[in-house]
Amino acid sequence: SSEVLEAIENVILDVLKSLAEKKAPVFTLANRSDWRNIEFKDSVGLQMIPRCTTQQIRSDCPRSAPKFALMLKILSMIYKMVQSNTYATKRDIYYSDTLLFGSQTVVDGIINDISCMLKIPRRNLHILSTSKGFVAGNLSYTEEDGTKVNCTCGATAVTVPSNVQGIKNLISHAKFMLIVEKDATFQRLLDDDFCDKMSPCIMITGRGIPDLNTRLLVRKLWDAFQIPVFTLMDADPHGIEIMCVYKYGSVSMSFEAHHLTVPSIKWLGLLPSDLKRLNIHKDVLIPFTKQDQNKLESLQKRPYIACQPMWKKELEIMAASKLKGEIQVLTSLSSDYLSRVYLPNKLQFGGWL
């Protein structure tokens, strides 16, 4: 915490120095969303290059002055929280002055900018976000406040904790971890008792694009247990992009890649080649939209696809067919095909990439 306080004090000192010299104070931020500032490392994923292009948030420019003021406001809130060892969610910050902030999106963006500017992970700034992900299976742990949590597979899952950093006493006999793209598939596997029928495992879903807490938990469990991590996604560009976020990270959070990515993640399914192999009828597949086409072309140009020849092949199969398949298409073979046949066969015979 002293490191965080010192970092904020240095920023404020710079503001005061500028004012003393009768200059307009300026915040300098890395361009978080610029691919030119990103390098790809196999062992980490996407990460920000040391000397990247920056943007200035000026206090004397009508366009950026409001953002400058909001950054100062949130910096002062973080400073007080770190000093008093209290925490707030991003939502709490927005609701502390909704008129001032205008929207939750503004608050979220500024918090990420501050985290990037100070080079300090968001959770060390004492800001939590409400989790939307779920975890189930062979796992128990203790939350920061001493609450004991047992995720052993029942029909209900446990919400991913909002302070992943604070959880301790992690215990699991899981043989693997399965990341499921969608909530509906995750719930279906729970209903089918997948965790009990297969060897002990941990299942996690970020319910679509994963939030920070879900990504942190996947990384923490991988660090703790060093077990294989598999993904179960729709055979479409959107599903593949979500898998890449878990494995390689995202451009906007590349400054935190070291804490968020699990480069050893394997693609278990649904593979575009599976659709052909299993004779899935074209009637249950969905034709590409223009958006799908653009997303696929963007994925094919990503630096990490070049070092994954098998993945590249799957993307080419998808590009040629211009069809996408949701995991649910397996129910056209039989209602419990996913948990009874597809996943057990894949896991037993190594059908992953």
Side-chain angles (χ1 to χ4, degrees):
S1 60
S2 59
E3 197 186 308
V4 180
L5 296 175
E6 194 184 333
I8 295 173
E9 285 161 8
N10 288 338
V11 167
I12 301 305
L13 216 67
D14 284 344
V15 169
L16 293 175
K17 274 182 194 160
S18 298
L19 291 170
E21 292 166 9
K22 304 230 175 337
K23 289 180 187 161
V26 167
F27 290 145
T28 305
L29 308 178
N31 272 330
R32 286 190 298 120
S33 55
D34 191 339
W35 273 95
R36 288 170 300 181
N37 287 337
I38 310 298
E39 63 179 355
F40 170 65
K41 276 204 176 148
D42 234 353
S43 58
V44 184
L46 301 174
Q47 59 173 18
M48 205 167 255
I49 57 174
R51 282 179 294 281
C52 56
T53 61
T54 55
Q55 54 167 319
Q56 290 195 326
I57 310 296
R58 302 189 61 85
S59 58
D60 61 347
C61 159
R63 254 197 28 230
S64 62
K67 183 170 179 176
F68 184 92
L70 292 181
M71 285 179 77
L72 271 181
K73 167 79 175 166
I74 291 178
L75 277 167
S76 76
M77 292 170 88
I78 292 168
Y79 194 83
K80 281 177 196 152
M81 288 191 297
V82 175
Q83 262 186 331
S84 59
N85 196 26
T86 53
Y87 287 83
T89 64
K90 294 189 296 182
R91 220 166 158 63
D92 294 335
I93 290 175
Y94 168 58
Y95 279 108
S96 68
D97 199 333
T98 51
L99 276 174
L100 177 71
F101 293 120
S103 80
Q104 184 70 59
T105 319
V106 168
V107 172
D108 297 356
I110 286 176
I111 289 165
N112 285 342
D113 282 337
I114 288 173
S115 173
C116 186
M117 177 174 78
L118 300 178
K119 294 185 174 51
I120 290 169
R122 191 176 74 193
R123 55 211 168 277
N124 293 4
L125 303 177
H126 285 230
I127 294 170
L128 307 171
S129 49
T130 319
S131 299
K132 67 180 177 107
F134 288 135
V135 57
N138 193 297
L139 173 69
S140 62
Y141 56 84
T142 308
E143 290 200 346
E144 196 175 35
D145 62 1
T147 311
K148 287 185 165 52
V149 178
N150 188 355
C151 307
T152 308
C153 241
T156 53
V158 173
T159 306
V160 167
S162 53
N163 189 356
V164 174
Q165 201 185 17
I167 66 174
K168 49 191 183 289
N169 307 331
L170 290 125
I171 300 165
S172 177
H173 305 292
K175 297 281 184 280
F176 65 92
M177 200 180 342
L178 181 66
I179 300 170
V180 182
E181 178 188 349
K182 284 188 187 146
D183 190 25
T185 310
F186 180 85
Q187 295 298 341
R188 180 67 212 242
L189 290 171
L190 274 186
D191 294 343
D192 287 351
D193 264 343
F194 177 73
C195 302
D196 292 339
K197 286 175 186 164
M198 281 303 292
S199 54
C201 68
I202 299 168
M203 280 202 318
I204 291 183
T205 179
R207 301 166 74 195
I209 296 168
D211 58 14
L212 203 62
N213 294 333
T214 305
R215 290 168 64 188
L216 281 168
L217 184 63
V218 169
R219 174 63 195 236
K220 191 172 185 105
L221 295 176
W222 182 67
D223 282 340
F225 305 122
Q226 294 290 311
I227 50 177
V229 185
F230 300 109
T231 58
L232 179 64
M233 306 279 152
D234 287 340
D236 68 10
H238 190 65
I240 293 165
E241 174 146 74
I242 288 172
M243 170 173 60
C244 293
V245 168
Y246 284 107
K247 186 174 170 78
Y248 296 123
S250 58
V251 175
S252 63
M253 295 300 285
S254 57
F255 63 95
E256 266 205 64
H258 289 272
H259 314 281
L260 294 171
T261 58
V262 180
S264 68
I265 279 174
K266 300 283 183 259
W267 185 6
L268 188 70
L270 190 61
L271 304 176
S273 58
D274 287 340
L275 301 174
K276 198 173 179 183
R277 185 176 59 83
L278 298 169
N279 289 321
I280 300 290
H281 206 278
K282 285 204 169 144
D283 292 355
V284 292
L285 300 177
I286 306 160
F288 262 26
T289 61
K290 184 78 187 112
Q291 202 182 2
D292 292 325
Q293 189 65 44
N294 294 342
K295 175 73 74 195
L296 182 57
E297 284 167 14
S298 145
L299 280 167
Q300 287 175 309
K301 292 185 193 126
R302 303 267 171 97
Y304 39 71
I305 297 296
C307 69
Q308 290 277 8
M310 302 297 279
W311 284 31
K312 205 173 166 189
K313 235 178 224 162
E314 293 292 331
L315 295 188
E316 282 162 9
I317 291 170
M318 194 188 289
S321 75
K322 289 193 165 46
L323 292 169
K324 52 185 184 176
E326 297 185 329
I327 297 160
Q328 283 79 0
V329 300
L330 295 177
T331 54
S332 68
L333 301 171
S334 81
S335 63
D336 58 352
Y337 191 86
L338 175 68
S339 57
R340 187 176 51 83
V341 183
Y342 183 82
L343 289 175
N345 282 348
K346 283 252 170 179
L347 291 159
Q348 192 179 342
F349 300 114
W352 56 79
L353 304 177

